Amino acid sequence: MKPIRLAAPLLALTIAGAAAAETPNRLVTILTAPEPQTQLMTMVLTMNAIAAGAEAEMLLCGPAGDIALKEAPETATAGQPPQGASPQGLMKKMMEESGLKVQVCAIYLPGKGADASILMDGVTAAAPDAMGATIVAPGTTVLSF
């Protein structure tokens, strides 16, 4: 009888493992913080999650949206210790090397009274319905700063 008792839990673990293998390890990073150090650390953590195998995308809102501007403020482009990296520099690197999808909040551009022409190449405005679905999709982790 003991082998039968063990069979059910092992079968459940096998099924759960197969389901987990089918669900991608996805990361959505939402950044709103205006502080350059927080912005940079957000980029560092997202970059390391990608290196660990996560499929990632990023949503920039409020002051953090300025990172995505072609003419970004110095707080987004100035290098910081210890390695002289900047929030915008690491974001660009992830976009180019890892295909990181970066979007600004849907209300960011209207709030600035501007259109998408002020954004860096590859950055778009998020569609709230699509972003909402992404956030609640199985296997998705949301980091918010």
Side-chain angles (χ1 to χ4, degrees):
M1 289 291 189
K2 286 185 181 179
I4 295 173
R5 287 184 187 162
L6 292 176
L10 288 175
L11 179 60
L13 285 173
T14 302
I15 293 170
E22 293 174 13
T23 304
N25 184 13
R26 298 173 62 188
L27 173 66
V28 175
T29 303
I30 302 172
L31 177 58
T32 62
E35 302 87 11
Q37 189 176 58
T38 303
Q39 293 175 350
L40 181 59
M41 194 64 217
T42 300
M43 299 302 165
V44 169
L45 292 173
T46 301
M47 183 176 66
N48 280 277
I50 291 169
E55 296 174 11
E57 61 184 275
M58 185 171 288
L59 180 65
L60 304 172
C61 298
D66 293 350
I67 298 169
L69 295 174
K70 288 178 184 173
E71 295 186 28
E74 184 179 354
T75 56
T77 60
Q80 298 181 44
Q83 296 182 356
S86 72
Q88 190 183 67
L90 275 186
M91 185 181 77
K92 281 182 182 180
K93 179 178 180 176
M94 288 184 286
M95 290 172 70
E96 293 167 2
E97 295 179 6
S98 305
L100 177 68
K101 180 179 179 182
V102 178
Q103 300 178 24
V104 294
C105 285
I107 59 174
Y108 177 78
L109 291 170
K112 283 195 136 345
D115 62 24
S117 66
I118 67 169
L119 298 175
M120 295 171 27
D121 290 340
V123 177
T124 60
D129 57 340
M131 183 53 71
T134 299
I135 288 170
V136 299
T140 299
T141 300
V142 177
L143 292 179
S144 182
F145 298 89

